[in-house]
Amino acid sequence: MSSGSVHSRSTVQGKPHSAFYHTVRALLRDKFSLCGLIILGIAILFSVLAPWISPQNPYDLSQLDIMDGRLKPGTASLSGMIYWLGTDDQGRDLLSAILYGTRTSLLVGVSSAVIALTIGAALGLISAYVGGKTDALIMRIVDIQLSFPPILIALILLAVLGQGVDKIILALVVTQWAYYARTIRGSALLERRRSYVDAARSMALSNPRILFRHILPNCLPPLIVVATMRIAYAIMLEATLSFLGIGLPVTEPSLGLLIANGFDYLMSGDYWISFFPGITLLVLIVAINLVGDALRDILNPRNKD
């Protein structure tokens, strides 16, 4: 049976499929999004299992030997441990560091996106639903926020707050919430005029219930697409900040910090210190963008029959 012959209201045992089912099915049928999902699944699995599958704990300074610094990939240490991807200048096993670094990058990216989405969605819904001066005030704050380069805001915040995972998550939240607020406000303005909102008001439902139980679910498709893209951007921005030396501390390396550690040695032939973390970061961001592009096409109402 061809894909075009499958109606959007297909059923299983007489029950209609949910929108989530159709979205997942469409993602799995697209080869690019499937590839992205597989890469993301592997990255998440390895990140979660990093403490158990890593040959070394790169955060434990007692396990590092400066004499093993800048060893080539495949070199064995005096203790017999093989560094399959080599070591950095501090004697840190790059394979272990990449597993832990991917874990940190995903944690920072996803956490900041979820928190920024929550704040931005709430403010965007209130702005669209209340309107008037409240809408004007919130949107002017959003306009001011979006007028500054995100990296500039993050640099200023981290210069004041200092280094740390919690600090960089806060900085990323501040730089991203406005995107979600602008996105959901546009969708909520359209939903506010729907008949189901008038029906909910006639039933004397509370405003918070109308907002979060009725309007918000209908605004989720564009919000999900933006959130997926912003996760990739948050990971990239964190890597940039860590590369500049103001993101995460040396004791908690992310992929960006690992790339920065080997930057000074690129010209000396020790390419692997920056190369392998850089490739990992590139593949991770491309995988997220593949899924985000597919979601944008799937959830776009203009593409529906």
Side-chain angles (χ1 to χ4, degrees), residues 100-120:
Y100 275 84
T102 303
R103 187 184 193 187
T104 302
S105 296
L106 285 173
L107 172 64
V108 170
V110 174
S111 299
S112 62
V114 170
I115 298 173
L117 185 150
T118 303
I119 297 173

Side-chain angles (χ1 to χ4, degrees), residues 127-157:
S127 177
Y129 189 75
V130 176
K133 294 182 179 179
T134 302
D135 180 31
L137 175 62
I138 295 177
M139 284 302 103
R140 295 299 75 75
I141 295 175
V142 169
D143 291 339
I144 294 173
Q145 171 80 50
L146 296 179
S147 65
F148 290 96
I151 191 171
L152 177 61
I153 299 175
L155 283 170
I156 295 173
L157 287 174

